[in-house]
Amino acid sequence: MNFTKKSLALVAFSFVTVMFSQEKPEVKIGGALRFNYNLSSWKDGQKKRGGDFGFDVFRINAKAKYKGVKLNAEYRFYSQSFGGGMLKQGWLGYDFNEKDNIQLGLTQVPFGITQYNSHSWFFGINYYLGLEDDHDMGLKFTHKGEKWEYALAFFKNAEELSFGSNSDVSDSRYSYDVASIDIDGDGALDLRYKETNQLNGKVNYHLGNKNIQHKIGFSAQYGGLYNLDTEDTSSHHAFALHYQLNAKNFDAKAQVSTYKYNTKNTTYSDLIALTAYGAPYLTATEATTYTLGTAYTFPVKWKPISSIQVYNDFGYMDKTAENFKDSIMNVFGFLVTAGNVYTYIDFAAGKDHPWLGPVWTNALANGTPNADWDMRFNINIGYYF
């Protein structure tokens, strides 16, 4: 009788142990609410008011994991004039081991310095050309070793919100992609393209010690450029050399990038349209960019402030077309960390830059002769949870 009781107790204990040792689904919900103040030198009315302060974005982040399969998604809600609601990223992933991972869905393109090739709220000039923090629809494999890390990816296309035969790319998106635009103002779209079947490769090499780390890398990108009117496919490509330095509280990011869109368009051979945040603009089909960003973080004990980072991000766009004016941007600023509140205080200057000047459509394309520097003072306050 005692043997039977012991056996039953052992079986019950084993069942409870197995039941509680099984992997349970992990779900994490987060997000952010941000407000923005800006004062721009080219907006007379705004200067008379002393700038404007308003809503920037509310976002929801979701992460989940069960039996090795992961989910990572971020949805953003902007005002309607900035594109409204949009999915920044959303992918399913699987970790084969501690070093190897695969992602499927709307995932970050492995090109250049990631996650960001900048420090400021404005990003760098490559972002406005679709070469920084870009996200497309596809499959990506990454390997992160002690010395070497690399990524290989295939992207079927950018974010696709309409599945018609020749549907134009939606302007409601977070990262800049090739799109359609009306150049002459007659209501008809003159340039209509889509990215398709893109391949990406990126490799980084780490060296240094626990006090000083260096990362040297190379990125390559090649894909199709589909003309929605002629239904022909040409090509586009981009390459980049990049370097990162981390030395305790100091870091630096340097990158040289070159890109080209082979549009085969005889009327607008030097122009291509890009879009994000609800509005497209033109850019040069071929250019080389140079970016350099530096930052130093000061730990402080000013409750609730725990650190202040001082940074400067510089970007130069050298356009290949002889009659095109080059574009420049520079952002000097501070990141103030206070608990879950992150505040970017930026002094942004631009020359032939759509977000830093009065010219929108042609700033990154042919530009403006004798363009002046324009300034924007910007404060972005966000609570991240």
Side-chain angles (χ1 to χ4, degrees):
M1 189 69 177
N2 290 335
F3 176 77
T4 303
K5 289 182 178 180
K6 289 180 179 180
S7 300
L8 291 174
L10 181 60
V11 170
F13 177 78
S14 299
F15 174 78
V16 171
T17 302
V18 170
M19 183 178 65
F20 283 98
S21 64
Q22 288 180 340
E23 182 182 358
K24 295 183 178 180
E26 298 177 15
V27 179
K28 295 181 180 179
I29 302 296
L33 174 63
R34 300 194 321 219
F35 302 103
N36 204 66
Y37 167 84
N38 75 77
L39 176 62
S40 304
S41 65
W42 65 95
K43 299 178 181 179
D44 292 335
Q46 193 183 64
K47 288 191 295 181
K48 292 178 181 178
R49 295 190 300 272
D52 293 314
F53 180 54
F55 170 74
D56 175 26
V57 66
F58 177 70
R59 79 184 204 200
I60 292 293
N61 295 79
K63 293 183 178 181
K65 183 178 180 181
Y66 183 55
K67 294 186 177 181
V69 180
K70 300 191 299 184
L71 163 74
N72 188 311
E74 179 177 319
Y75 196 87
R76 296 190 170 196
F77 300 88
Y78 290 93
S79 65
Q80 197 60 40
S81 61
F82 279 85
M86 61 188 71
L87 185 67
K88 183 211 174 189
Q89 64 189 44
W91 49 262
L92 305 177
Y94 182 78
D95 293 327
F96 296 101
N97 48 55
E98 294 182 353
K99 297 180 179 180
D100 301 316
N101 168 268
I102 194 167
Q103 296 175 7
L104 173 68
L106 183 60
T107 182
Q108 188 180 54
V109 176
F111 185 88
I113 296 174
T114 52
Q115 182 176 349
Y116 307 108
N117 182 28
S118 54
H119 303 88
S120 73
W121 179 77
F122 280 94
F123 301 106
I125 200 165
N126 283 350
Y127 175 78
Y128 303 93
L129 299 169
L131 297 176
E132 178 183 350
D133 198 26
D134 184 25
H135 294 74
D136 289 333
M137 293 296 303
L139 182 68
K140 178 174 67 176
F141 174 83
T142 61
H143 170 85
K144 294 184 178 181
E146 183 177 348
K147 291 292 184 180
W148 291 94
E149 65 179 41
Y150 59 85
L152 299 171
F154 170 75
F155 296 100
K156 189 66 190 72
N157 43 251
E159 303 95 304
E160 188 62 68
L161 302 181
S162 179
F163 294 86
S165 178
N166 289 310
S167 303
D168 293 295
V169 168
S170 171
D171 296 324
S172 295
R173 61 189 57 240
Y174 162 83
S175 52
Y176 276 94
D177 294 301
V178 172
S180 305
I181 194 171
D182 174 15
I183 297 177
D184 52 24
D186 63 356
L189 296 174
D190 303 295
L191 287 175
R192 303 180 66 219
Y193 289 95
K194 279 185 176 181
E195 302 167 18
T196 184
N197 300 331
Q198 179 175 300
L199 294 172
N200 279 83
K202 174 182 170 181
V203 60
N204 281 320
Y205 179 72
H206 298 255
L207 65 158
N209 51 52
K210 64 179 182 179
N211 295 318
I212 301 178
Q213 294 93 39
H214 307 270
K215 186 188 292 188
I216 304 170
F218 172 75
S219 299
Q221 176 174 294
Y222 181 86
L225 192 62
Y226 183 79
N227 188 311
L228 292 168
D229 292 320
T230 66
E231 298 186 348
D232 293 328
T233 301
S234 53
S235 65
H236 68 94
H237 64 263
F239 303 98
L241 288 172
H242 31 92
Y243 167 75
Q244 291 175 263
L245 168 67
N246 284 281
K248 293 185 178 180
N249 293 342
F250 175 80
D251 80 82
K253 304 176 181 183
Q255 183 168 315
V256 179
S257 312
T258 182
Y259 75 87
K260 183 176 182 180
Y261 293 97
N262 298 300
T263 63
K264 296 183 179 180
N265 189 310
T266 56
T267 306
Y268 304 106
S269 59
D270 295 325
L271 301 175
I272 193 77
L274 298 178
T275 193
Y277 296 104
Y281 53 59
L282 293 170
T283 187
T285 55
E286 186 175 1
T288 300
T289 63
Y290 306 88
T291 61
L292 175 63
T294 57
Y296 190 89
T297 302
F298 296 90
V300 298
K301 295 182 180 179
W302 307 337
K303 290 186 178 180
I305 299 173
S306 58
S307 70
I308 297 177
Q309 184 185 71
V310 183
Y311 51 77
N312 192 86
D313 293 324
F314 174 79
Y316 185 89
M317 179 185 181
D318 182 10
K319 302 167 188 174
T320 302
E322 292 184 4
N323 59 329
F324 281 21
K325 305 300 179 182
D326 295 339
S327 297
I328 313 172
M329 72 176 293
N330 190 82
V331 184
F332 172 77
F334 306 86
L335 170 60
V336 181
T337 302
N340 287 355
V341 177
Y342 295 84
T343 302
Y344 289 89
I345 305 171
D346 289 328
F347 300 84
K351 196 171 184 178
D352 276 323
H353 192 296
W355 288 93
L356 299 173
V359 178
W360 175 263
T361 303
N362 296 300
L364 292 177
N366 53 302
T368 307
N370 304 315
D372 295 324
W373 282 94
D374 287 291
M375 303 289 294
R376 175 171 165 177
F377 175 60
N378 198 92
I379 302 176
N380 189 270
I381 305 168
Y383 186 94
Y384 295 78
F385 60 91

